[in-house]
Amino acid sequence: MQQTATPKKAPKKFFYGWIIVLCCTLLMAVGTGIFVNCVGIFVKPVCEDLGFERGTFTLYTTITSVLSMLAMLVFGELYRKKPRRIRLYIAIGGLTGCLVFFGYSLSSKLWHFYTLSAIYGCVATTLAGISVTTLVNNWFVDKRGLATGLAFAGSGVSAAIMTPVLTTVVTDYGWRMGYRTMSLVSFIILIPAMLLIRLEPSDKGLLPYGVTPHPSEEDKRSIPVIEQTGLTRAQAVKTSSFYFQSIGIFCLSLAGMGISNHAISYFTDIGYSPLTASTAMSLVMTIMIGAKILLGAVFDKIGSVRSAILTGLCMIASTLSIRFAGAGAFMPYVFSVCFGFGYSTLTVPYSYLIGQNFGTREFSSIYSLICTLGSLGGGIAATLTGMLYDRLGSYYPVWTIYFVLACLALTFLFLASKTAQDRGYQYR
């Protein structure tokens, strides 16, 4: 008796968008994980060797941050007008960053650090949020939160690995070799990202993840037009939510980056060994890996208002844990857990809250403007913290100030989300 073969379902093809997520993870691993999260390792050894004050030395990171924020507006327009050049922009940013950090290893004067940091600041944004959010938003409709969390987790992975490595290198071979190690490792990490990145799914004959063609369409590869809702940038800047959001991010960034850039120096100042200090910060970066993914998933479930509150609470816990880090030998690790979540709030909530509050109609324009204004706090944080330390002779009052800023961040982020939700900006 002849049997009819049961038709088998075609196996699902691997979606290239996950390769894009990996590339974004590598960008964040270098642009934030190494070039931002690891610079605190160099504050004390460079200042002791060259005789700089901490406040004046860390101004070089502020120069990079401020110029990067201004450059974000420029690159926002370039990405909009000439999006096909995204790989070129990323390649320029990556190569410049690697050369600049190698240049730091040859520096002996403050103006050397300042000049090099200004050069990198002009292109640093290509290795950060604007590239990552552009690529993720192009490739994903469904699971966008997960993809974003995975991409931003790259900064935690690289920093968790490189913090103890660089600490050892600096201790054994000096800070100049530490900068050179950063440069070489970063260049190696960036190579596959620059080769594999594609702007959008159509470049690979695909649709964004979660989008299917309309059944009546003959060409199954065509990408349907997705209706965008929300405010335009011109409308957004006329709302109180826009300014609440900017102020909230400013306070959050100032507290978070102020802690990050000086935590290792602070721990050694109060009696902990360099190994304990670097281990605590390495643990922060390790916890960040899961914290970013977890926060993204939680945000999807609890909505923008509660997400804003949770974001503020994470930073409040971070400021309290570092303020009382000298209370016992276990406290650096309590800080690691708290700041692992607190530091994660400087990335994941930004795109989520801005998208939820103002919609997707002109997301990139609103995102770049709010982050440029709001992240100014992160730009001045390292220098401000160092100057306060130089003036006050202690980090204790600085952490108290940052506790107040964290409370203000919670308040303004809550007001931004609550107002936007009540007035329905996302759906206009």
Side-chain angles (χ1 to χ4, degrees):
M1 181 176 178
Q2 187 176 7
Q3 294 184 354
T4 304
T6 302
K8 296 182 179 179
K9 291 183 178 180
K12 290 185 177 180
K13 294 182 178 179
F14 176 77
F15 182 57
Y16 193 82
W18 297 115
I19 298 294
I20 299 299
V21 171
L22 175 61
C23 292
C24 290
T25 301
L26 296 177
L27 294 183
M28 292 300 301
V30 173
T32 301
I34 296 178
F35 288 168
V36 176
N37 293 344
C38 291
V39 296
I41 296 168
F42 296 86
V43 174
K44 195 169 183 177
V46 172
C47 289
E48 290 180 348
D49 184 35
L50 300 180
F52 302 150
E53 290 187 339
R54 296 184 189 183
T56 54
F57 172 65
T58 52
L59 181 59
Y60 88 104
T61 63
T62 297
I63 292 171
T64 296
S65 299
V66 172
L67 288 176
S68 178
M69 286 182 287
L70 296 176
M72 186 186 299
L73 297 175
V74 176
F75 278 101
E77 286 299 302
L78 289 175
Y79 279 29
R80 182 178 67 86
K81 293 180 178 179
K82 299 180 179 180
R84 294 291 168 189
R85 295 185 178 180
I86 189 169
R87 282 204 295 174
L88 174 62
Y89 302 144
I90 292 171
I92 292 173
L95 181 59
T96 302
C98 293
L99 290 174
V100 163
F101 274 81
F102 185 85
Y104 289 150
S105 73
L106 305 175
S107 300
S108 58
K109 306 292 184 182
L110 278 173
W111 71 266
H112 296 164
F113 288 93
Y114 294 167
T115 302
L116 289 169
S117 66
I119 294 171
Y120 178 54
C122 294
V123 296
T125 192
T126 61
L127 301 180
I130 191 169
S131 295
V132 171
T133 55
T134 296
L135 291 167
V136 170
N137 285 340
N138 284 351
W139 280 85
F140 289 85
V141 173
D142 286 349
K143 297 190 177 181
R144 184 177 290 169
L146 174 61
T148 301
L150 289 171
F152 280 113
S155 61
V157 174
S158 63
I161 296 171
M162 291 301 295
T163 296
V165 170
L166 288 172
T167 299
T168 301
V169 171
V170 170
T171 301
D172 293 345
Y173 302 100
W175 60 268
R176 296 185 187 276
M177 185 59 69
Y179 277 128
R180 291 166 189 167
T181 302
M182 290 176 72
S183 176
L184 177 60
V185 171
S186 298
F187 180 74
I188 294 172
I189 292 174
L190 286 172
I191 290 175
M194 291 185 287
L195 293 175
L196 296 173
I197 281 176
R198 299 294 183 273
L199 176 64
E200 56 189 26
S202 61
D203 295 340
K204 301 290 288 186
L206 300 170
L207 297 169
Y209 192 93
V211 173
T212 56
H214 192 278
S216 62
E217 292 177 355
E218 293 183 4
D219 184 359
K220 299 301 182 183
R221 290 181 180 268
S222 64
I223 300 178
V225 177
I226 301 173
E227 182 182 1
Q228 305 291 329
T229 61
L231 302 185
T232 64
R233 184 174 66 177
Q235 292 171 329
V237 297
K238 296 177 182 178
T239 68
S240 58
S241 289
F242 177 89
Y243 297 98
F244 290 151
Q245 190 89 53
S246 299
I247 295 171
I249 291 177
F250 174 87
C251 295
L252 197 74
S253 299
L254 180 53
M257 292 305 297
I259 291 172
S260 173
N261 284 289
H262 288 265
I264 290 179
S265 298
Y266 167 68
F267 284 132
T268 56
D269 282 352
I270 61 176
Y272 293 107
S273 68
L275 178 60
T276 298
S278 64
T279 300
M281 284 305 296
S282 179
L283 184 57
V284 168
M285 304 308 168
T286 303
I287 292 172
M288 277 175 59
I289 300 169
K292 290 183 177 182
I293 300 172
L294 179 60
L295 286 174
V298 171
F299 288 169
D300 286 335
K301 294 183 180 296
I302 66 177
S304 61
V305 175
R306 292 178 180 175
S307 296
I309 295 173
L310 178 58
T311 296
L313 290 175
C314 288
M315 191 57 70
I316 288 172
S318 299
T319 59
L320 289 174
S321 62
I322 196 168
R323 173 63 180 80
F324 297 103
F330 63 94
M331 283 303 296
Y333 305 105
V334 173
F335 162 76
S336 297
V337 175
C338 293
F339 196 49
F341 281 86
Y343 203 26
S344 297
T345 64
L346 302 190
T347 50
V348 178
Y350 292 2
S351 60
Y352 173 80
L353 291 175
I354 292 170
Q356 287 295 108
N357 291 343
F358 301 102
T360 58
R361 188 184 301 277
E362 292 191 4
F363 169 81
S364 59
S365 296
I366 297 172
Y367 175 88
S368 62
L369 186 55
I370 288 179
C371 286
T372 299
L373 296 173
S375 296
L376 178 63
I380 66 174
T383 300
L384 178 63
T385 306
M387 288 182 172
L388 288 172
Y389 169 84
D390 293 335
R391 177 64 63 87
L392 302 172
S394 171
Y395 284 110
Y396 290 122
V398 181
W399 306 145
T400 302
I401 293 170
Y402 288 169
F403 167 76
V404 175
L405 287 174
C407 293
L408 290 174
L410 187 156
T411 301
F412 282 107
L413 291 176
F414 167 79
L415 290 173
S417 295
K418 181 63 175 174
T419 303
Q421 183 184 80
D422 290 345
R423 298 180 182 179
Y425 294 151
Q426 181 182 4
Y427 304 104
R428 291 186 180 179

